[in-house]
Amino acid sequence: MRTLLVTLHSKFIHSSLALPCLAAYCGSDCGELLIREFTVHEPRESILTMLLAEQPDVVAFSVYLWNRRETLDLVGALAVAQPGLRIVLGGPEVSFDGPALFEQHQGATALVRGEGEAPLRALLLAWHRGQSPGKIPRTVLRQGGDLASGPYSPPLAALDLIPSPFELGLADLERGFVYYESSRGCPFRCSFCLSARDNQVRSYAMERIRSDLLLLMQQRVPKVKLVDRTFNYNAVRAREIFNFILEHNRGTHFHFEVAAHLLDEPTLDLLERAPADIFQFEIGVQSTLESTLEAIDRRVNLEKLEDNVRRLRQSGRIHLHLDLVAGLPGDDYAGFLASIDRVIALEPHHLQIEPVKLLPGSPLREQAAELQVRFDPNPPYTVLGTPDLSFSELQRLQDIGRLVDLTYNSGCFATFLRELAAATGSFAAVMDWLAGEWRRRGLFRFPCNRQALFQNLFTIIEGHYEEPSLTRLVERLAYDYACCERVVTKRVPAFFQTSLVPEEQQWVRETVQTRIDQIRGKGVKLQYFAAVFTTTQSASQRTVHLFLYLTQTGEKMQVEEYRFAKAGPLPGQG
């Protein structure tokens, strides 16, 4: 019997962790198992052709929020194209479906609920042996015109019963990054998350974790993203893994989801000694409103969280990605803007703002009617209104999130946003105002590259601010542009002042020539740009900023900066 384990990713670079785990647990007893990964962007007809060309007896789909519609469309087409094909559906997106799923999709043969290793193995094993599966725990099976539902059973208590898909060579390590799990479950019960139903945390044995991570590091996988819901639920365990990575790493970057308020002193001390840019922490703040956190059953010490994030930020070792969720019970527009300001004060490297999604099976979805929370009935089940936030306010918050991603998260607008926040009142006020302007001008409708982004911001502030604030804002926008984008002499944006007097031109020529002499023969290409600024010093003073752009094959562009005023050259910032 040949079984295809299939999923559709949102991007090609993504790779599946679920399918290799399923294949590893099912083993050779279940017949031939093949893993096949596609994306939601590929034509259905193309995927259909490739699947049927393998002449499968069973196709088992892993279904998620982002691929439900495309997967179920495939189910119908497969059933028509190959009558008698057994089609199994599993994954978080269908785990809480029932008879209606089978009624709407006649091609579906079986549904696996929750963690799939044990139910899928039992199902495939029975089919492979030519036996009737009967009522397999956590499985719904179509039998003629009836549905046979198996009883509830807990998930695997011992995760080590799942052979390592990495040791078996089942996981794709060639897509740039790899998902990895060292535990399942979460100690918290946040009502918007499916982990609220599984607060018993189970860990793989440390020996297994070390073996897997060592393999990934030896293979020099560029990035490993741990999908543990709360990686540091046990501080001693987390430190042991951190230490092992630091001892054996060969250049792999690691991403963890951590609860910042659970970081203890020994862990913080260890992290302060870690090399920079090895670890990235994603920290779900969600809201800074105590009443909202209580309403979603999220027990967090906000003060401790903030203190630990500040300490991590000050150490400069960890890349910090903080999350806020809009539309949670009790959170209104002003309150959410206050959350943005409170979190941005922690200076995260990345701030993600997303509307809450009412996932099937989550407690929040079950409470939606009682809480008067309205949401889209189609994936991704985004909140559309609450007693405290109208649809238009939620859309405005989504606009703010998109602008934060375009500007703050890009790392290219640091001085401009700081000045704009000072002129407007706060970071959240800036984003709120910009979101309105962006929407009014129709700028959200089309993709926006970096050059266009700078130009749009210039146009907006030019029509809103007056002197002397305007000059300060424009010059900081220009400064940020020159620091992150090579300025081409024939296409200099209008917000630069480039008229240099002879003395300044002579200084530019001499400085450039000196640097050329220093890098001669090193395979480095140098290009440069000079502009005049009047407000970038502590006291207003005409200053020439010279930006040198150094490029080398296979290396990221380096930007060096030198400054010149009539009082003499100023120290470069590099």
Side-chain angles (χ1 to χ4, degrees):
M1 184 178 77
R2 173 176 290 177
T3 299
L4 303 183
L5 302 177
V6 182
T7 197
L8 279 65
H9 299 298
S10 60
K11 297 180 180 179
F12 174 77
I13 61 170
H14 295 166
S15 61
S16 177
L17 175 61
L19 300 186
C21 285
L22 291 169
Y25 189 80
C26 290
S28 59
D29 293 342
C30 298
E32 183 182 15
L33 282 85
L34 301 172
I35 295 173
R36 296 294 181 258
E37 303 177 58
F38 306 94
T39 75
V40 294
H41 307 293
E42 295 181 62
R44 183 169 71 250
E45 294 77 9
S46 175
I47 299 175
L48 182 67
T49 299
M50 287 186 277
L51 292 178
L52 292 178
E54 307 216 44
Q55 299 180 334
D57 301 292
V58 181
V59 177
F61 286 102
S62 190
V63 190
Y64 295 91
L65 194 69
W66 57 83
N67 68 16
R68 179 185 177 108
R69 178 175 59 81
E70 291 82 358
T71 300
L72 293 178
D73 286 348
L74 269 173
V75 168
L78 281 168
V80 172
Q82 185 175 324
L85 177 66
R86 289 164 170 161
I87 300 176
V88 183
L89 300 173
E93 179 59 23
V94 294
S95 286
F96 298 92
D97 275 287
L101 181 70
F102 289 89
E103 294 172 7
Q104 295 168 9
H105 302 281
Q106 292 296 315
T109 309
L111 169 65
V112 174
R113 290 177 167 147
E115 291 183 12
E117 285 88 3
L120 184 64
R121 174 179 165 79
L123 183 63
L124 296 182
L125 192 59
W127 283 340
H128 182 54
R129 293 174 175 173
Q131 300 171 349
S132 174
K135 293 188 176 182
I136 297 173
R138 288 190 287 111
T139 300
V140 183
L141 181 64
R142 190 193 298 275
Q143 295 181 336
D146 299 321
L147 296 178
S149 296
Y152 169 79
S153 68
L156 292 172
L159 294 180
D160 291 307
L161 291 173
I162 307 171
S164 169
F166 302 100
E167 288 187 2
L168 294 175
L170 295 171
D172 186 348
L173 307 184
E174 304 297 327
R175 299 197 181 199
F177 76 90
V178 169
Y179 291 112
Y180 181 73
E181 64 176 5
S182 68
S183 67
R184 292 182 182 179
C186 181
F188 301 109
R189 303 186 65 90
C190 306
S191 64
F192 59 86
C193 182
L194 290 179
S195 293
R197 296 187 173 275
D198 183 18
N199 67 333
Q200 300 299 315
V201 184
R202 296 156 289 143
S203 174
Y204 288 90
M206 191 57 66
E207 182 180 358
R208 160 72 175 271
I209 296 170
R210 287 195 292 263
S211 175
D212 282 345
L213 292 179
L214 184 60
L215 184 154
L216 295 174
M217 289 186 284
Q218 289 176 338
Q219 292 291 321
R220 298 185 183 274
V221 173
K223 184 170 185 176
V224 175
K225 184 170 183 177
L226 281 86
V227 296
D228 303 44
R229 291 295 190 179
T230 304
F231 172 77
N232 62 321
Y233 71 93
N234 180 308
V236 174
R237 172 185 176 278
R239 282 198 301 278
E240 187 171 352
I241 296 173
F242 286 147
N243 268 315
F244 182 80
I245 292 171
L246 293 175
E247 181 180 352
H248 296 91
N249 194 25
R250 299 183 178 184
T252 298
H253 180 80
F254 288 85
H255 176 108
F256 304 88
E257 293 188 28
V258 304
H261 65 290
L262 296 183
L263 294 170
D264 59 5
E265 275 305 307
T267 304
L268 290 168
D269 288 341
L270 168 64
L271 294 171
E272 287 178 350
R273 300 192 299 272
D277 300 324
I278 294 298
F279 294 149
Q280 175 173 310
F281 287 176
E282 183 169 353
I283 299 168
V285 181
Q286 320 310 12
S287 174
T288 63
L289 194 64
E290 295 283 357
S291 58
T292 292
L293 294 175
E294 183 177 349
I296 62 173
D297 203 14
R298 183 174 178 81
R299 311 300 177 186
V300 176
N301 184 330
L302 278 175
E303 287 72 25
K304 181 68 171 175
L305 181 152
E306 291 175 325
D307 288 344
N308 287 345
V309 169
R310 289 191 192 96
R311 182 166 167 181
L312 290 172
R313 189 66 175 90
Q314 289 168 4
S315 76
R317 303 292 180 177
I318 312 297
H319 189 279
L320 297 172
H321 179 134
L322 272 56
D323 298 336
L324 283 172
V325 177
L328 294 172
D331 212 352
D332 61 13
Y333 196 81
F336 196 83
L337 292 183
S339 286
I340 293 176
D341 278 331
R342 186 167 172 178
V343 171
I344 214 70
L346 302 175
E347 300 182 346
H349 299 92
H350 186 106
L351 172 60
Q352 180 170 311
I353 298 171
E354 292 285 345
V356 66
K357 297 171 177 58
L358 279 76
L359 304 175
S362 67
L364 184 58
R365 179 156 172 154
E366 295 172 354
Q367 301 162 0
E370 176 188 349
L371 296 172
Q372 301 178 54
V373 176
R374 304 182 303 282
F375 63 95
D376 191 332
N378 304 298
Y381 313 111
T382 305
V383 62
L384 298 180
T386 76
D388 304 293
L389 280 167
S390 66
F391 173 79
S392 61
E393 288 174 324
L394 283 164
Q395 293 304 302
R396 184 73 164 256
L397 292 178
Q398 285 199 65
D399 288 347
I400 289 174
R402 292 171 67 182
L403 272 180
V404 167
D405 201 41
L406 287 170
T407 57
Y408 180 87
N409 292 341
S410 73
C412 294
F413 296 86
T415 57
F416 172 70
L417 290 178
R418 195 178 304 118
E419 183 70 26
L420 190 56
T424 308
S426 75
F427 178 83
V430 164
M431 289 297 142
D432 188 33
W433 170 64
L434 280 179
E437 288 295 313
W438 221 262
R439 175 67 62 183
R440 185 175 66 82
R441 297 164 188 256
L443 298 176
F444 283 120
R445 295 181 58 197
F446 308 104
C448 184
N449 62 27
R450 189 183 293 170
Q451 294 93 332
L453 183 58
F454 274 94
Q455 184 59 49
N456 289 335
L457 289 169
F458 171 62
T459 302
I460 289 172
I461 62 172
E462 187 181 36
H464 182 80
Y465 285 93
E466 297 180 353
E467 299 296 352
S469 295
L470 180 59
T471 295
R472 295 180 62 85
L473 286 168
V474 170
E475 289 199 348
R476 278 149 184 77
L477 186 71
Y479 178 79
D480 285 343
Y481 185 101
C483 286
C484 71
E485 190 79 17
R486 184 173 70 86
V487 185
V488 180
T489 305
K490 294 182 179 180
R491 297 196 303 271
V492 178
F495 42 79
F496 281 104
Q497 208 277 78
T498 58
S499 297
L500 275 59
V501 300
E503 182 182 3
E504 295 166 340
Q505 294 172 351
Q506 178 64 23
W507 172 79
V508 168
R509 286 192 295 268
E510 292 175 353
T511 304
V512 170
Q513 188 58 54
T514 298
R515 195 69 181 98
I516 289 175
D517 293 341
Q518 293 170 344
I519 62 174
R520 195 182 307 279
K522 296 182 178 180
V524 179
K525 180 180 180 181
L526 184 150
Q527 296 167 290
Y528 68 93
F529 171 74
V532 175
F533 295 83
T534 60
T535 66
T536 52
Q537 307 301 323
S538 56
S540 294
Q541 181 183 25
R542 178 184 172 93
T543 304
V544 176
H545 291 236
L546 173 63
F547 300 91
L548 304 186
Y549 304 102
L550 307 178
T551 54
Q552 193 171 7
T553 303
E555 299 291 334
K556 183 180 178 181
M557 182 180 73
Q558 299 296 314
V559 182
E560 296 179 355
E561 180 197 351
Y562 300 85
R563 300 181 183 182
F564 175 82
K566 286 193 175 183
L570 298 170
Q573 294 184 342

